[in-house]
Amino acid sequence: MKQELYDFLNTDLQFIRGVGPVLAARFCDLLGGRRVLDFLLHTPYTVRNRGITEHVMDATHGDTITIPLLVKSHRAGGNFGRGRRRPTVITCADKTGQPVAIQFFNSSYLDYWLKKLPIGAWRIVSGKIEMSAGRPTINHPDFIEEMQNADKIPLNQAIYPSGAGLTQKIFSNVRDQIFVALPEKLNGADDKTREFFDALRHVHFASSPDDLTPNATYIAKLAYWELLAHQSAIVISRRHRDDAANRRTVRPKKYDLMDKFRAALPFELTGAQNRTINEIFADMAADTPMMRLVQGDVGSGKTIVALAAAIKMAETGAQTALLAPTDTLAMQHFAKLKPMCDKIGIVCDILTGRDKGTARKEKLISLRSGRTRLVVGTHALFSTDVEYRDLGLVIIDEQHRFGVTQREALRTKGTNPDILALSATPIPRTLSMTIYGDMDVSIINEKPAGRKPIKTTKLPMARVGDLIAHIKPQIDSGAKVFWVCPLVDESDTTDMTAVQTRFDALKQVFSNVGLVHGQMDKKDRDATMQKFADDNSGMNILVATTVIEVGIDVPRATIIVIENAERFGLAALHQLRGRVGRGNTQSYCVLIYGDNISNDGLKRLNVLCETDDGFAIAEQDLMMRGVGELLGTKQSGWIQYHFVDYREHRDLFRLASGAARDNEIDAFTHDLMYIFDCGVNVGA
Ligand code: ADP
Ligand code: MG
């Protein structure tokens, strides 16, 4: 790739006009990176048409409408104590005199809104129309313009998945600037590279939702290239592993710890756990580094399998790093593993971004000296100043993003360490080979004895009141409840309003309710999660808009309520459900669905009600075609592709893996591997 283009793709978003460090940090939260490239790979999911509608009666509940309105009256809102709020209401009328209300819930910008909508003036207003008490209402319009400025409202607006407090206006601004600058950077680029960025441009400027479906021309092209990048990386990685020149000498055993490990176990291992442990031990004794993925449904007991591997490594005197996706999960693992390691007699420590100063220094010294044999932590484990004496094994728990690059980066911290990945998302067998072609797979398909299947039911929204009355006694006697309210678009104010309303309503009934959502600061979010997990905090309901962290263990949480469950994909629902049922107490999952649930939506909910088997669900998930925008499909734990759709692109999978295997890997493919973050560095 030409240096100029490379530099441009790596430009920090804070240098884009109108962005700056604060917004760039938010982009980083949302995209997992803050470069122009990260933005380019984050593409719109739908297109909203904002053509003008003259009569409000032509729109139905949920439509986006752009309509000329005459402002009739103002009623200021405000706070009324005890969390009760009255919205600001601006009553308007369309051309035929039909009333339309505009509502604002946030009273801090009151003057601003009232000035934008003076009584007696015509304004063109665009936003989502909702029937509220039988009256057409627009909550927090997306656009309010004077009549002569109607063209400031985009006719077809590409909508980005948002969150972290980023609005659609910010997205379109950044996009416009990037694509104005891009052609110059492509000067002298080859045809394929131009074709690639041209496809990206078409997707970012999509003018109809049809342009964004999996089989739309440019999406399918990008999906193919993305697959080609991943498959090529897998081929390179495989060849590297198989290369006789990379054989290693197996570390000799110095200590006997396995008996102590078995004695320290508080339970009998299941057959599947034993089998997996044996497969891992065989890998560790081989002269090629282990590269194994353990797939086991939530609650199948993967942590103990990981510990067994760490202890096996400790027998040689070498070290193990256990990488968790979040601080919370790292601390949870540490709390469980430390007492067992104490019994066995090995030093176990934790290292996260929270460790600072002398405490951190001491931890690093202990790692460098080799005294610490098992260290649990987040990405902090691989900061440049963290040195290991002999890192023999890296265990990666529940990592959403675990592409080839990540694996390669880990390898460089030790001398070709063994790698063990744990995933709670079963991958249908048909896909496992194409996704993790360079890894061996163990499957834990058996749950610890005594586990009760989670009782799952579905319920229409109208019966939420009954549900609340029903769970109240259980909560009073100590049960904890996850209450999930999905937001497709975290900046969508109507959805956010719904969550706030639910939160307020629950607060009326229950004393101590927590709330976490995507627009919150990560620190506050973590703190609330922690409080909910803490038995003594008294917080017994947690309302969450963001998908609750995979792997979080709140043993007393025995009920999960999922609102608008029809908006989620099967795998995501199954993952969410796995937040409960982690002990031997009977747990419950209640799937609440809205009025406009589709047949497919109902089918999905029925699958969940009927089975608890993650592998069966994964197969179904692959079979059933997604309808519209399903939440959590991308985050379901399989490799997170930007453009690839597991259901729709199976032919592309085959094509790309064939091409990667048979064709020489050319410069363009190398660029693709860089762009899609799966470039392998086999030299390291
Ligand atoms: P996951 O596979 O989701 O990571 P965990 O490792 O967190 O599951 O295990 C879930 C719970 O089951 C933990 O409390 C763990 O102690 C317990 N557990 C694991 N294996 C067994 C077993 N063989 N018998 C009984 N309980 C077990
Ligand atoms: Mg786990």
Side-chain angles (χ1 to χ4, degrees), residues 101 114 161 166 206 211 257 274 277 306 365 371 381 400 445 491 493 502 527 572 595 605 610 614 663:
L114 298 185
L166 293 164
D211 297 339
L257 299 173
N274 270 318
I277 289 173
I365 291 170
R371 200 177 80 92
L381 291 179
H400 281 323
N445 52 0
S491 71
T493 39
R502 173 65 65 224
D595 297 338
L605 301 195
E610 280 156 21
N663 303 347

Side-chain angles (χ1 to χ4, degrees), residues 267-270 273 297-304 336 398 448 451 582:
F267 40 67
E268 287 279 307
L269 294 175
T270 63
Q273 282 171 323
D297 222 335
V298 273
S300 62
K302 294 183 291 290
T303 316
I304 208 75
K336 278 196 178 175
E398 314 276 14
R451 275 301 144 71
R582 299 175 73 81

